[in-house]
Amino acid sequence: MSNLTQSPAWQALAAHRDSLASTPIRELFAQDRERVERFSREAAGVYVDYSKNLINDDTIALLAALARQAGVEERRRAMFAGERINVTEDRPVLHVALRERSGAAILVDGENVISNVLGVLAKMRRFTDAVREGAWRGHTGRAITDVVNIGIGGSDLGPRMVCEALKPYGRRALTMHFVSNVDGADMAEVLQAVDPETTLFVIASKTFTTRETLLNAHTARAWFLRSGAAEAAIAKHFVAVSTNEGAVAAFGIDPGNMFEFWDWVGGRYSLWSAIGLPIALYIGMDAFEALLAGAHAMDRHFAEAPLEQNLPVLLALIGIWHTNFFCAASHLIAPYDRYLHRLPAYLQQLDMESNGKSVTLSGERVDYATGPVIWGEPGTNGQHAFFQLLHQGSALIPADFIVCMQPHHGLDAHHEVLLANCFAQTEALMNGSHAKDAPHRSFDGNRPTNTICVDKLDPASLGAVLALYEHKVFVQGVIWNINSFDQWGVELGKRLAVTIEGEITQPDTTGAHDRSTTSLIDRFKARRNARAESAN
Ligand code: G6Q
């Protein structure tokens, strides 16, 4: 058994689970009239009701002891101090520095990174103001009407999700497009919809070596030049966001049109950096800075609040309770807000790429469950689809319901129905219902949920919610003793296709693979060759 599962805190939690497991959550409400007050908190404008979980005061105390035993407080301090906590890549983890608004210094190798951060923010402001005000124009003198972000993974999911979430704050005259997939259909659809004279391409890649992004960027540049634009016009229509100035220059983008960030910003934590440029173009720099300020308010809460009152810590601990003591293998994200429809996909990367690990920091295989599968859809659509399994399926699926008190539209009746559904679902998941002699119509209940509320979905509240999840994932990674900040599985994927790509472009040479892979490659080539012959 590992140190973690043998530890006194873990063993105490296992014993506590055995004593509590048969108690219905609804009974805990009956026993304690102040349960909601006890198990709900607000910080940075985010209110979390976590009372509909199978927890009591002892559970929280035991879970907090586990966090202390795992060194959460020390690792939290180390992250904010810029220590190299990403040990497998030997880097600090400083997305919190991107939203540090207090003027405090954070040193990396003796250099204050905050001044670099402020410098890039100022450059982003100059550029985004110019584009939005029409001072920055395309090569024929027309104002920019369309922005195409070309990037993938961390260089796509965050900006795409935030632009959708903050649509009410977006400049409607500016249409945002996101091309990530190497599937040519992604690029082809966007190129059909935009005009080369009024389109700005943002090539977003931390490394500027990612195959998908570079192929998409080359395709966009060739399309632009085919429209009759001269090479010199590229400077008006292509900008880059990267840490790799050499590769940006080699692509043909003037480094003056490059927005820099740094290796201490992980891809999935990068929307707060210049990777957020499409967000700033769409909602303006003031609103982008409000997003940073909202995240910073949550950072302060996370850094300062005692573990038992700390929202990211509490969500992390409740998640551990379900994953490790109740065998929950997945976690549902259910935003009851149409604007948050890309949030589950974003959190999927944040959580699963961070905590989808099974080797500890010192290289031993874990003997306990780590990151769960994250999935979700906005309410109320999910209710008419997979919620059946939540209510009556054999798996325990804890869920976060995310809800905004005030809508951005005037259709109040819709909002009332939306919220009624959200509240009814969490109530029913907890209470269940028992139809006498009708097992098919009976619901066990006792399905745990958190309800996460903001007053209004605005830049600041969105920033706070995203930082809440970032720190939740961090705390879980510390307790599981894994590195939440590397992604060797993703790096493997970047290398895997290279050999087959070389073979697939040749007419007949296929290298040594298993028979299944060889026959699939050959099948593709045969079909392609037959198409070419019939076209001749
Ligand atoms: C994020 C991951 C990954 C990365 C993409 C794109 O944490 O590392 O999703 O963001 O693979 O990488 P580039 O930005 O380097 O193109």
Side-chain angles (χ1 to χ4, degrees):
M1 273 184 6
S2 64
N3 290 344
L4 180 61
T5 51
Q6 275 179 43
S7 67
W10 190 279
Q11 293 293 324
L13 277 160
H16 177 64
R17 181 255 335 266
D18 295 344
S19 73
L20 198 63
S22 58
T23 313
I25 305 172
R26 62 177 179 279
E27 224 164 77
L28 298 174
F29 276 90
Q31 288 165 13
D32 178 5
R33 294 189 62 80
E34 276 161 23
R35 181 171 171 81
V36 178
E37 289 70 26
R38 205 188 304 284
F39 298 117
S40 64
R41 306 208 157 260
E42 184 158 7
V46 184
Y47 171 78
V48 181
D49 177 346
Y50 52 98
S51 62
K52 291 193 181 85
N53 290 289
L54 186 55
I55 55 170
N56 60 21
D57 287 332
D58 291 343
T59 324
I60 296 295
L62 291 169
L63 286 166
L66 179 72
R68 288 204 171 86
Q69 171 194 278
V72 166
E73 288 152 314
E74 164 54 19
R75 290 282 294 288
R76 174 180 63 178
R77 185 207 57 73
M79 176 172 74
F80 279 92
E83 290 177 21
R84 294 178 180 272
I85 62 165
N86 177 358
V87 286
T88 62
E89 295 180 320
D90 191 27
R91 290 172 185 168
V93 172
L94 272 178
H95 44 280
V96 292
L98 300 167
R99 51 220 193 194
E100 173 57 63
R101 321 299 292 158
S102 68
I106 299 181
L107 299 180
V108 172
D109 299 329
E111 194 182 2
N112 181 9
V113 299
I114 301 296
S115 22
N116 293 340
V117 167
L118 296 178
V120 173
L121 285 173
K123 183 170 174 177
M124 287 171 69
R125 181 176 284 279
R126 285 194 297 277
F127 175 69
T128 55
D129 281 356
V131 171
R132 288 163 59 84
E133 286 158 10
W136 178 290
R137 291 182 175 259
H139 70 108
T140 57
R142 294 171 63 193
I144 299 298
T145 57
D146 292 80
V147 175
V148 182
N149 189 76
I150 299 180
I152 195 165
S155 300
D156 165 74
L157 287 159
R160 191 195 286 250
M161 176 273 294
V162 173
C163 285
E164 286 292 318
L166 297 180
K167 213 171 203 161
Y169 299 84
R171 174 150 299 193
R172 295 287 167 140
L174 212 49
T175 305
M176 308 303 293
H177 309 265
F178 291 86
V179 176
S180 54
N181 203 327
V182 77
D183 182 342
D186 211 2
M187 180 57 84
E189 288 290 337
V190 168
L191 293 183
Q192 269 175 41
V194 298
D195 179 340
E197 291 183 26
T198 59
T199 299
L200 176 74
F201 291 94
V202 178
I203 317 297
S205 175
K206 179 174 169 181
T207 55
F208 228 78
T209 55
T210 304
R211 186 76 181 101
E212 292 93 328
T213 299
L214 287 186
L215 184 55
N216 279 326
H218 280 287
T219 300
R221 188 173 66 170
W223 168 85
F224 177 72
L225 293 175
R226 268 202 314 276
S227 75
E231 286 270 346
I234 286 180
K236 291 276 167 212
H237 294 268
F238 286 78
V239 299
V241 181
S242 188
T243 58
N244 186 349
E245 188 176 318
V248 168
F251 177 85
I253 294 179
D254 178 351
N257 286 347
M258 172 181 139
F259 296 83
E260 186 192 11
F261 66 115
W262 306 275
D263 70 355
W264 41 262
V265 182
R268 55 195 172 279
Y269 299 89
S270 64
L271 74 86
W272 322 98
S273 72
I275 288 289
L277 190 69
I279 304 171
L281 282 163
Y282 190 44
I283 64 175
M285 204 57 199
D286 287 346
F288 183 71
E289 292 198 343
L291 180 81
L292 299 183
H296 179 69
M298 186 57 78
D299 292 343
R300 290 319 326 149
H301 166 72
F302 174 56
E304 288 158 12
L307 301 185
E308 294 81 354
Q309 297 161 25
N310 192 310
L311 284 183
V313 175
L314 286 162
L315 288 187
L317 293 176
I318 291 167
I320 296 236
W321 183 229
H322 295 136
T323 301
N324 296 111
F325 297 92
F326 291 88
C327 301
S330 87
H331 186 97
L332 171 71
I333 304 292
Y336 273 62
D337 191 300
R338 166 71 179 71
Y339 288 118
L340 291 175
H341 73 108
R342 293 289 306 175
L343 184 67
Y346 170 81
L347 293 180
Q348 227 161 30
Q349 183 193 28
L350 174 66
D351 199 319
M352 293 167 76
E353 203 171 291
S354 297
N355 287 343
K357 316 278 163 71
S358 48
V359 166
T360 65
L361 288 177
S362 50
E364 285 126 27
R365 189 151 289 278
V366 300
D367 65 354
Y368 42 85
T370 56
V373 174
I374 303 293
W375 59 290
E377 267 287 307
T380 59
N381 294 355
Q383 290 173 212
H384 297 266
F386 54 78
F387 269 46
Q388 165 62 35
L389 188 145
L390 299 189
H391 286 286
Q392 289 189 303
S394 54
L396 178 75
I397 303 187
D400 289 352
F401 284 69
I402 304 172
V403 68
C404 310
M405 296 293 126
Q406 187 187 333
H408 277 289
H409 53 73
L411 305 173
D412 288 348
H414 288 249
H415 200 61
E416 284 156 16
V417 173
L418 177 73
L419 266 59
N421 272 277
C422 173
F423 303 150
Q425 285 293 331
T426 61
E427 183 178 49
L429 285 164
M430 176 176 73
N431 286 339
S433 79
H434 301 275
K436 196 163 179 289
D437 301 328
H440 298 100
R441 292 172 192 228
S442 287
F443 301 80
D444 293 340
N446 239 18
R447 314 274 163 149
T449 59
N450 298 307
T451 304
I452 299 176
C453 307
V454 296
D455 281 344
K456 192 171 180 183
L457 185 62
D458 60 20
S461 66
L462 180 65
V465 168
L466 299 180
L468 169 70
Y469 277 103
E470 285 180 346
H471 297 317
K472 169 197 165 176
V473 166
F474 168 77
V475 170
Q476 292 189 329
V478 173
I479 293 174
W480 287 323
N481 194 23
I482 54 179
N483 183 4
S484 301
F485 300 107
D486 62 11
Q487 55 285 312
W488 298 105
V490 174
E491 310 299 336
L492 171 70
K494 290 188 182 186
R495 291 199 310 273
L496 277 183
V498 175
T499 312
I500 295 183
E501 199 185 309
E503 294 165 8
I504 226 164
T505 50
Q506 303 301 317
D508 14 67
T509 39
T510 299
H513 299 281
D514 60 87
R515 284 185 57 80
S516 161
T517 308
T518 306
S519 89
L520 289 167
I521 297 171
D522 289 346
R523 185 183 181 82
F524 168 71
K525 285 184 181 177
R527 296 292 191 278
R528 183 187 58 195
N529 295 347
R531 274 202 317 276
E533 270 168 33
S534 66
N536 287 334

